[in-house]
Amino acid sequence: MVEFLQFTLSGISFGMIYAAIALSLVLIWRGTRLLNFAQGGMAMFTTYIALEVIRHTGSYWAGFAVALAAGLVLGAAAELAVIRPTLGKPELNAVIVTIGLLILIEGVAGIMYGGQFRSFPAAFSVVGLKAGSTPLGVSRADVFVAAAVLAAALLLATGFRYTSVGLRMRAAAFNATVARLSGVRVARVITVGWALAGLLGALAGVLVSPSTFVYPNSMDSVFVLGFTAAVIGGLDSPAGAVVGGLLLGVALSYAGGYLGSQGSDLTALVALGILVVVLMFRPDGIFTAGRMRRV
Amino acid sequence: MSATGVRTQSTPRILGAALVTAVVVVFLSVKLGTFRDYQIAEIAIEVTAVAGLTVLTGLSGQISLGNGAFMAIGAYTTALLLLHFASWPFYAVLVAAAVVTAAAGAVVGMAAARLRGPYLAGATLLLSVALPSVANAYPGTFGGDQGLNVVFTAPGFLGVNFPLTRWQAWVCSAVALVTLVLLANLSRSRVGRNWRAVRDDEVAAALAGVNVARARVLAFVVSATCAGLAGALLAAVTALVAPGAFTITLSIALLTAAVIGGLGTLAGAVCGSLLIVLVPTYATDVATSHGLSTAVASNIPVAAYGVVLILVMLVFPQGIAGGLRWLLGLAGFSAVRARRPATAPGPAPPAGTAPPAGTAPPAGPPPAGPGPIGSGPASQHDALLARKGDTPESHEKEDPQ
Amino acid sequence: MKRTNRLRGPAVAVLAAAALTVAACSSSSSGTGASPSTGSSTGAGGGSGAALTASAPGITATTITIGSHQPLTGPAAPGYSEIAPASNAYFSYVNANGGVDGRKIVYKYLDDGYNPTNTASVVRQLVLQDNVYAIFNGLGTPTHLAVQSFLNAQKVPDVFVASGCDCWDAPSTSPETFGWQLDYIREGKILGQYVAKHFAGKKIAYFYQDDEFGMDGVKGLDYEIPKSMVVSRQSYVATNVNVAPQVAALRASGAQVVISFSIPAFTALLKLTSLKLGFSPTLTVSNVGSDPITLSGLLESFAKQGGSTVNGNALTAGIITDGYTPPLGDTSNGWIALFKKIHDQYDAKAPFDGNVLYGMAAAYTFVEAMLKAGPNPTRADLVSAINNGLPQGPAVAPYAYSATDHDGVTGAYIGMIGNGVLTKEGPVLVTDTSAAGAITSYTGTEPQAPSSGVPAP
């Protein structure tokens, strides 16, 4: 029973990371109907920036803040520089461009920061919390991870719903032409969307890096699982991203814990199994409204 | 003019082109050294896999990031058959690998029949990540992380001194050419037309009597078979089948090759394969000769490759094949200029009649409307938006961009 | 009806292919050329001053070109990408001090990204196009397995593979291939015997990487540790950093000693997750994953927690491990002093850690082998030189090299980490890879580092 609790809590902790990546993918999808394969790479790069800041100033929170700011800038820059020219062209072109961007960022990170693992500090202590004498399987750092992502998701949701920027973003995503006719600066809205996605990615990066250590490919597997979480939850739904992330994180944790020594090998297959089951019943993810066109 | 176009080339013409290519390959394989033979084999393997993917994604509109998994299935089938039934001739093993992978493709296709766009992409991506781990989970059968060895020798009638790499180049090129010919015929046939119809507008296709689900599954089967053949050849050429060879990078590289070459066109499959096999080699040569530190020197090719992908995609939205057609059109090959590629979802302007789209300055921000691959709010408007690239002028009235 | 011309497409593609290939031909690097030429005698370095000739592919009058495949980029790059530059640093030192029989070593290592398909490709490039004399220190088990049969078929010396698999010890089927480092089965036996002896009666658990590194290690452990003592066996895959389920299972089993065959990142994760779960067993780690400098680097951030009293060195204190080269922190040791000097001069950007030591020690062994092969060696000469045995060099135990045994280092000492350095405890133990093979103390003396830094001819 104790193990169950430990598996669940550690699964939630990792699941929130997947949720953060999923959220950023959802943001970009809603804004530009694109899959951004470079999301993980951008998160890794902002984490390196945070590392440099922490090294020079000694302050974790300075690094944290700079990482988020860098995420904003990087997301906007990527959109303006390489994504904008692909809008209006075949969709897959933009996907390939993001793949190229990912490879470029990983190469640049390799050039700038060399070939060792770097250690990244956690926000708070990694010593496990206990209930009485039983270790719960989470630390203060894990609680912070969950809280940070949840806060980001809530801010995003309220922002979408209650601010005019959010309204403009939703309008542009729903129907760009009509939105433009209503006076929405669609281009600017798209850039804002990518910037916010960059920020979310940067958040995921600094939150997960204590566990993955920082190196140019550190975010690759996190990205795959974040993408899976987004697909499970439905690419149009931020709530879906969070639910998908949690579901995936917890299920993988159980798989690793209960399937014995083969469990570690089979985690990817378990994730695939979950995805297949979900998509079998809801081909567009859990939270997407069903499509209308049927014959 | 419909997007599918009407092809007037005939089977003899396709076969003629294949024959010419075969002669050229044999000539090159003899003239160039053994290492270049190996590269020819590598390119042919990529072409086989990418051709299948470009048909799946370009012609039938299903984006798949999982063809690396099908290559793994083909490769492992080959390795296991050669391990347990060493007396089977290689062509029999190839056929068996193709059959097994086709079956897998059918299963995946049926499971994925209702998935669209990014959901299909996500599912296939996870497939390519998850499937190789089966080899790790059951090391007794699949050899685990170390993989299975594959023994592939040149047949005796060629003589003892015939270099193995040349034989490998010939076998791989033969399979690639046969695949290209078959796919070209398939693409011109009713099956191909059904695929394009399903890609462009499912509802209309269904109304016209096309069995959408069957067409989609068939596309998966064809694509998987090609990938399976490529995987079988890969096993024979690299002599080892291990999970480390079938990473997510492989699947992404296949899609990259398909799109950057020119989605939906077989010439594009060839161009894209050339690019992904030859460019990384080049860049490595350039970087290591300049005395930079290892971390820098080894990552420069990586960064350069990323830049190449971005630039090619921005400058040639129709891929390299499209760009070449445009260049040839500029140079005065009128037959080329008149051709409508029209094979990518959301086709781009016909080559030669408009400059590459990247240079046309958009007056205002481009639309963010959903296309056929996306699954945004579906409406009739979207079907029009899907054709927006066909000829910019003709659509101006329908969709002010 | 427009006349489409489907012929253009494939034809264009083929022409482009031909053009690209021809261009590739002319611009490719061709290494140091294999055309024979008589060179003048240079006199320096051993030998009787005989004329230096191009006696084999990759050898000219002035250079020896060798190749390697290494993971310079990709997920396996951190850490391992330091090895080849370190070897190159040692070769540069040798080149600056007379070279090998007057020839300079040119070390061409290419990136395979730890992908066997790429390995097959780059090794063919090295052998077929660049005509290297030998492949040195090819890194990785699945990667090198992809080229083992090719190299042996081509009769290219495949020396000192950077992997502890015992697959390199197959002289009858792979006569060109030689291992170098202490293989994982031997290591498992040595660690296992120590644990069984010093922790008799305690509960032992294994934590291992789910590939032949971990599984061979466990095989060795099982030869020495009675099955009844082992209460849990947990494996991990390098792609999944969430090891909490495994550590929770280890904790639940009540294990008091955990033996870990893990790479440094996962040793660190094991330690961190144990902290989280309030689990503090005695940790025994394979030398692959126990380099104190790498581990400290991975764990240092957690030492600076706000509000935590965890100290960086405290996290690695008490780890039991083994070593087959002198401990890095032992600056009084001639080998360490020599390699540190070379590192500071030729490879200063990298930290002076276990990977760098590994690269230099392997390079030293290669130079030893080349010197033994003679002033104008053929490829076969190198192979027979190693088959006739090599002096120990920086390894703490002798090599097994003979015509019937292609294993490298045969033993190691047990050590403990404290204050961020490894300290030797007890004698060097040598053994073999069989279940019944005894583990004996090595009574020979360890050779001193040569004052010139170059092996004696």
Side-chain angles (χ1 to χ4, degrees), chain C residues 9-225:
Chain C
V12 164
V14 167
L15 286 174
L20 273 170
T21 336
V22 170
C25 268
S26 50
S27 69
S28 70
S29 65
S30 56
T32 54
S35 48
S37 55
T38 47
S40 54
S41 81
T42 54
S48 55
L52 295 178
T53 62
S55 47
I59 298 210
T60 68
T62 49
T63 56
I64 301 169
T65 307
I66 54 177
S68 185
H69 62 86
Q70 301 281 326
L72 301 177
T73 60
Y80 290 146
S81 56
E82 293 172 11
I83 294 178
S87 298
N88 206 15
Y90 182 74
F91 291 144
S92 305
Y93 176 81
V94 168
N95 290 343
N97 286 285
V100 173
D101 292 319
R103 292 186 180 92
K104 297 198 190 304
I105 299 178
V106 175
Y107 184 27
K108 204 171 154 129
Y109 49 95
L110 296 181
D111 182 18
D112 66 358
Y114 212 76
N115 182 329
T117 311
N118 296 344
T119 314
S121 186
V122 302
V123 166
R124 276 173 180 75
Q125 183 182 339
L126 288 166
V127 170
L128 298 173
Q129 200 183 36
D130 301 329
N131 290 305
V132 296
Y133 174 64
I135 296 290
F136 163 71
N137 214 224
L139 198 146
T141 308
T143 44
H144 200 76
L145 281 172
V147 294
Q148 187 179 9
S149 48
F150 169 72
L151 289 172
N152 279 277
Q154 296 276 324
K155 296 214 178 7
V156 176
D158 176 20
V159 300
F160 312 141
V161 182
S163 140
C165 178
D166 61 345
C167 8
W168 320 126
D169 177 22
S172 48
T173 48
S174 299
E176 311 281 332
T177 305
F178 294 87
W180 180 75
Q181 69 188 70
L182 179 71
D183 64 271
Y184 306 131
I185 299 184
R186 276 188 170 87
E187 189 184 12
K189 284 177 67 175
I190 293 174
L191 283 175
Q193 186 206 46
Y194 181 86
V195 169
K197 202 174 359 165
H198 286 77
F199 298 101
K202 299 248 166 113
K203 297 191 181 157
I204 320 270
Y206 300 159
F207 178 70
Y208 61 99
Q209 183 158 303
D210 191 38
D211 64 2
E212 55 74 43
F213 156 52
M215 296 202 281
D216 272 0
V218 165
K219 197 197 285 193
L221 290 172
D222 279 339
Y223 288 161
E224 295 296 319
I225 300 183

Side-chain angles (χ1 to χ4, degrees), chain B residues 48-49 52 66-79 81 92-110 127 131 217-233 235 246 254:
Chain B
T48 313
N67 277 38
F70 293 129
M71 283 182 75
I73 293 178
Y76 269 96
T77 310
T78 307
L81 283 176
V93 174
L94 264 184
V95 169
V99 167
V100 169
T101 321
V107 169
V108 173
M110 286 192 280
L127 178 70
L131 202 62
V217 172
L218 185 60
F220 250 100
V221 168
V222 167
S223 164
T225 313
C226 295
L229 282 172
L233 292 173
F246 302 103
L254 291 176

Side-chain angles (χ1 to χ4, degrees), chain B residues 88-345:
Chain B
W88 281 30
F90 188 65
Y91 64 82
V93 174
L94 264 184
V95 169
V99 167
V100 169
T101 321
V107 169
V108 173
M110 286 192 280
R114 293 207 295 160
L115 303 182
R116 299 289 179 276
Y119 302 96
L120 182 58
T124 50
L125 183 74
L126 201 56
L127 178 70
S128 75
V129 169
L131 202 62
S133 63
V134 172
N136 288 93
Y138 300 101
T141 332
F142 296 106
D145 212 51
Q146 288 174 276
L148 299 169
N149 283 308
V150 174
V151 177
F152 178 73
T153 50
F157 68 81
L158 288 169
V160 168
N161 287 325
F162 196 84
L164 180 63
T165 45
R166 192 179 304 159
W167 175 242
Q168 289 171 336
W170 287 6
V171 170
C172 296
S173 305
V175 173
L177 282 172
V178 168
T179 307
L180 286 176
V181 167
L182 289 177
L183 286 179
N185 279 329
L186 205 58
S187 149
R188 298 178 310 129
S189 71
R190 189 163 52 118
V191 174
R193 286 198 290 279
N194 286 348
W195 283 339
R196 288 191 200 79
V198 167
R199 173 199 72 197
D200 290 339
D201 194 326
E202 262 184 56
V203 179
L207 285 172
V210 175
N211 188 327
V212 172
R214 195 183 303 166
R216 291 170 60 92
V217 172
L218 185 60
F220 250 100
V221 168
V222 167
S223 164
T225 313
C226 295
L229 282 172
L233 292 173
L234 187 69
V237 164
T238 56
L240 180 80
V241 177
F246 302 103
T247 55
I248 177 181
T249 315
L250 175 65
S251 291
I252 290 184
L254 291 176
L255 184 70
T256 305
V259 176
I260 215 166
L263 191 64
T265 67
L266 296 176
V270 176
C271 291
S273 304
L274 283 170
L275 187 118
I276 62 171
V277 171
L278 294 178
V279 168
T281 319
Y282 269 113
T284 312
D285 287 345
V286 167
T288 50
S289 58
H290 281 80
L292 298 161
S293 86
T294 302
V296 176
S298 53
N299 279 291
I300 285 181
V302 176
Y305 182 59
V307 172
V308 165
L309 287 184
I310 294 175
L311 285 180
V312 171
M313 224 57 258
L314 291 183
V315 173
F316 296 123
Q318 284 298 85
I320 297 177
L324 281 176
R325 265 198 302 279
W326 173 73
L327 284 173
L328 288 174
L330 277 187
F333 287 87
S334 57
V336 177
R337 195 194 301 147
R339 176 183 177 177
R340 286 174 154 265
T343 46

Side-chain angles (χ1 to χ4, degrees), chain C residues 422-457:
Chain C
L422 177 66
T423 340
K424 212 164 136 175
E425 309 226 323
V428 173
L429 303 162
V430 291
T431 181
D432 64 2
T433 52
S434 69
I439 304 175
T440 55
S441 300
Y442 175 61
T443 48
T445 45
E446 282 168 44
Q448 295 293 314
S451 50
S452 65
V454 179

Side-chain angles (χ1 to χ4, degrees), chain A residues 201-236:
Chain A
L203 180 68
V206 298
L207 290 177
V208 83
S209 289
S211 300
T212 60
F213 308 110
V214 192
Y215 59 100
N217 293 79
S218 57
M219 295 295 286
D220 284 356
S221 32
V222 176
F223 171 78
V224 170
L225 289 171
F227 184 22
T228 308
V231 168
I232 287 176
L235 273 168
D236 279 298

